[in-house]
Amino acid sequence: MLFIRKDENKTASGKELEKIILDNREKKQVLGYRLTQSGRNEYKSVVAKCQDLDQAKLIPVVVGSGKPVFNLSKIYADVDSARQAAEAKLKELNRGVLSLSLKFVGELGLASGSLVELSGIRAVVDGTWSVDRVEYVLGSDGLVGVGRFSVFSG
């Protein structure tokens, strides 16, 4: 079984995936899209705690800044573990706040876990997105891809 971190843009062997560029100004590759925003709160920071055995007290480790704040309930063994847990939780909480469904032509290189750079669509859509899922269909319009993307948080 393989465990691969989301948004790292790497293959299972650790090789960097090539970022795919869909420039709608040049090739008109985008046939349509739908942008949705989830109702989740966008957390600005996460607090994890670790135990200081010498002073017998809990030490808060804050990642990010601002409110709202998410507090992790688990107590970690050291500052590094607490920081790693807080960073991972902040990424998880903010992932998927914006999601994009996109119908496009002419690009077979997209695969789940890869990155795509969109341009020439709309300012709110243009930028780097992480590919969550992509399917290809051969029909009367030729080879058409339909993908689901989330905001790249790496």
Side-chain angles (χ1 to χ4, degrees):
M1 183 178 290
L2 296 173
F3 294 95
I4 303 169
R5 289 183 186 222
K6 185 176 174 122
D7 287 346
E8 285 201 351
N9 195 37
K10 293 183 180 179
T11 65
S13 66
K15 182 181 173 187
E16 195 80 17
L17 290 170
E18 182 179 334
K19 184 189 288 187
I20 304 298
I21 298 172
L22 290 178
D23 187 348
N24 211 41
R25 289 178 293 237
E26 289 182 18
K27 298 180 185 175
K28 298 294 182 201
Q29 291 175 284
V30 176
L31 301 175
Y33 69 92
R34 184 176 71 235
L35 185 67
T36 55
Q37 184 172 7
S38 73
R40 287 194 272 179
N41 288 334
E42 216 177 301
Y43 285 92
K44 303 292 183 200
S45 59
V46 173
V47 176
K49 296 177 185 80
C50 64
Q51 184 71 46
D52 182 340
L53 297 176
D54 294 333
Q55 296 183 16
K57 66 177 185 176
L58 293 177
I59 300 171
V61 177
V62 180
V63 172
S65 62
K67 293 182 180 179
V69 176
F70 186 91
N71 288 293
L72 293 172
S73 58
K74 182 178 177 180
I75 307 300
Y76 294 90
D78 54 48
V79 173
D80 287 338
S81 298
R83 180 171 288 109
Q84 286 178 352
E87 287 171 352
K89 188 65 175 181
L90 186 60
K91 266 184 145 177
E92 175 192 329
L93 290 168
N94 289 324
R95 183 181 300 128
V97 171
L98 279 180
S99 63
L100 175 69
S101 296
L102 188 71
K103 188 174 180 182
F104 57 92
V105 294
E107 187 52 67
L108 283 172
L110 290 177
S112 183
S114 63
L115 297 180
V116 61
E117 181 75 28
L118 301 175
S119 61
I121 302 169
R122 280 185 65 195
V124 71
V125 176
D126 291 352
T128 302
W129 293 80
S130 177
V131 179
D132 295 332
R133 178 182 175 168
V134 66
E135 296 176 4
Y136 295 95
V137 178
L138 184 57
S140 60
D141 292 334
L143 185 63
V144 175
V146 178
R148 191 172 17 197
F149 307 85
S150 56
V151 174
F152 177 59
S153 58

